[in-house]
Structures are given as C-alpha cells and as structure tokens.
Amino acid sequence: IRMEEGEFYAIETFGSTGKGLVHDDVDCSHYMKNFDIGHVPIRINRAKGLLNTINKNHGTLAFCKRWLERAGETKYLLALKHLCDLGKGRITSYFDIKLDLWVDHFTKHQPR
C-alpha cells in the first residue's frame, strides 16, 4: 500500500505478552482469536455461529463488539463470553492514533 498526501490513517497497536491474568475491571473492548490453543470443541450452537461470523468478517484480525453488531450479530454476549472462556482469555493492551499525511507535515490526533 502506498500512502498518498491528504489520506488519513489509523494505527492500531495491540501489545501482549501472550500470557497473563484477567482481572474484572472495566468492560473488555477488543477481542482476537487465540491461534495457539488448537481445536477446541464448541458445544453451544450460538457460540459456533458467532465464531463463524468472526471467522468470516475478521479472520486473524482483532475486533470489537461494535463490529459484531455491524455484521448483524445480536444477543451475542453469552456466546462471546463462552468463546473467551474456551480460549483461556489473555490480557492485551490497545492504543490507537490517527495520522493525517501531508507533503510538508503530518498531524497527530490524540485518541478520544
């Protein structure tokens, strides 16, 4: 991909050690499949359907609940929790920054 003057880019980073303890603090905002655990049988049909939506729309990329809703998912919170429990959830940090690219300068926008 070639960056062109006048285009806008969001850089979203996800840092993780791959291991950690989850503490209930604030609502989790971003999710990503754990590819290191191999095949795990999913017995709840709703969770299977949600995983199919995740695979179809996000593949290997991180995603948030809002994007599941845009993909048409409703009443998915228990299924998402079930998938997280099966995947042995890990802590991941998230930060994003938006850049405006111009020939003579760039502008950095602080996250909201």
Side-chain angles (χ1 to χ4, degrees):
I1 295 176
R2 183 180 171 109
M3 297 175 81
E4 299 289 338
E5 180 181 359
E7 293 181 336
F8 298 91
Y9 295 90
I11 300 170
E12 299 178 345
T13 59
F14 294 85
S16 174
T17 63
K19 296 182 180 181
L21 299 174
V22 175
H23 301 279
D24 291 331
D25 186 22
V26 295
D27 189 33
C28 180
S29 64
H30 286 75
Y31 301 83
M32 187 170 180
K33 288 172 49 178
N34 183 345
F35 294 96
D36 296 329
I37 62 171
H39 176 73
V40 176
I42 301 173
R43 293 181 173 85
I44 298 175
N45 286 336
R46 184 66 187 100
K48 286 181 190 178
L50 180 61
L51 183 59
N52 286 336
T53 297
I54 292 166
N55 287 334
K56 177 182 172 187
N57 293 286
H58 307 290
T60 61
L61 301 175
F63 59 92
C64 65
K65 293 175 187 176
R66 180 178 69 245
W67 298 344
L68 294 176
E69 293 163 7
R70 286 181 186 167
E73 288 293 333
T74 59
K75 300 180 183 177
Y76 58 84
L77 293 177
L78 287 176
L80 184 60
K81 181 185 181 317
H82 182 71
L83 291 175
C84 290
D85 291 345
L86 289 174
K88 301 171 184 70
R90 301 286 192 258
I91 294 174
T92 300
S93 64
Y94 168 79
F95 180 78
D96 81 26
I97 187 169
K98 182 179 151 234
L99 301 175
D100 300 344
L101 183 64
W102 301 97
V103 171
D104 58 346
H105 73 283
F106 74 92
T107 305
K108 175 181 170 183
H109 297 271
Q110 294 299 323
R112 290 184 245 163

